[in-house]
Amino acid sequence: MSSRDRILARVRAAVDGAPEAAPAVRDYLTSHTPDDPAAVLDLLHENLADYRALVHRTDPAGVGPLIAQLLGARGAMSVLAPAGLPPEWLAHTSCVRVADTPDATAAELDAVDSVVTGCALAIAETGTLVLDAGPDQGRRRITLVPDHHICVVRVPDQLVASVPQAMSRLDPRRPLTWISGPSATSDIELDRVEGVHGPRTLEVVLVVG
C-alpha cells in the first residue's frame, strides 16, 4: 500500500458514519451597491483608479480614436491584438499590429510595446477585470508579458456590481484571469514595485452606451 493509499484510508475511516453536511446557506447579500447603473459605473471607476489603473470613458464611436491617443502617448510602435478584437478599435493607430501566434516566445511578447484586449466582465465593488480567453481577449500570456495593457469594458453589458453576480455569469471551465490594477508587489518594508508579475501600466477604457 502506498503512502497515498494509507492517507486516504485514514480519511475514509475518520469520516465513516459521519452525518451528512448541512446545505450551504446562501442567504447573504449578493451586492452592497445601490441598484443604479450610474452608481455602479462610478464605483468601478473609483476602485480601478484606487488600484492605480488609468481609467478613461468614451462612447462606442470614440473607442478607436481614444486607443490611438493612448498608444501615441505611450510612444508605442507595436501593439498585440487578439484575433477577435473589433478592427475599429485599432483603425486609428499606425502601430504595427502583432498577431497572437501559438509559437510566439516570451521574448517576442516582451518586445511588443502594448496589448489591447476586451474583457469578459468588470466587477465594480472590487475594481476587478475578468478575462476568459474570449476571441477579443486571447490567451492569458499576452496580457501578462507586455508592459502596457489597454482593456476595453463595454458598459453596461459587461459591468456587474459584485463578485457573486460575476460568478453567476462566468463559465468556470474557461481559463479565468482576474486583474485588479497593474501588476504590483511589495517587500516587508512595503516598498511597492510594479511590473513584476504582469503589465506595469494598466489602462481601462469604459465604453458607455
Side-chain angles (χ1 to χ4, degrees):
M1 180 179 289
S2 66
S3 297
R4 177 179 181 274
D5 292 334
R6 286 195 294 269
I7 292 171
L8 291 177
R10 290 175 183 174
V11 171
R12 294 188 189 98
V15 300
D16 185 38
E20 291 291 330
V25 178
R26 303 193 184 278
D27 57 355
Y28 48 77
L29 291 176
T30 58
S31 171
H32 297 83
T33 306
D35 188 17
D36 176 1
V40 176
L41 176 59
D42 288 341
L43 181 61
L44 173 67
H45 191 145
E46 177 184 346
N47 285 333
L48 286 169
D50 191 50
Y51 277 123
R52 301 192 188 183
L54 305 176
V55 187
H56 315 272
R57 298 195 194 191
T58 188
D59 57 23
V63 178
L66 177 56
I67 289 177
Q69 176 186 335
L70 299 179
L71 292 172
R74 177 79 178 182
M77 302 299 292
S78 59
V79 58
L80 200 157
L85 197 77
E88 61 270 20
W89 289 4
L90 296 179
H92 297 265
T93 179
S94 59
C95 290
V96 175
R97 182 165 175 169
V98 180
D100 174 22
T101 58
D103 57 348
T105 65
E108 290 171 336
L109 292 175
D110 190 46
V112 176
D113 294 321
S114 301
V115 57
V116 177
T117 73
C119 73
L121 286 177
I123 306 172
E125 290 181 355
T126 59
T128 302
L129 308 174
V130 185
L131 280 62
D132 67 357
D136 64 347
Q137 300 154 56
R139 289 170 296 172
R140 178 179 294 161
R141 65 178 188 164
I142 71 171
T143 60
L144 296 178
V145 181
D147 206 41
H148 178 223
H149 180 193
I150 299 175
C151 185
V152 178
V153 182
R154 297 179 176 95
V155 178
D157 295 346
Q158 294 180 321
L159 177 58
V160 296
S162 65
V163 171
Q165 291 177 354
M167 294 303 295
S168 68
R169 291 179 51 176
L170 293 168
D171 184 348
R173 297 168 296 181
R174 297 190 64 82
L176 301 177
T177 302
W178 298 62
I179 302 171
S180 296
S183 166
T185 188
S186 62
D187 59 19
I188 194 171
E189 296 181 351
L190 300 182
D191 291 326
R192 181 182 172 98
V193 178
E194 297 180 347
V196 176
H197 309 295
R200 193 184 316 271
T201 303
L202 172 65
E203 302 206 57
V204 182
V205 176
L206 304 176
V207 185
V208 184

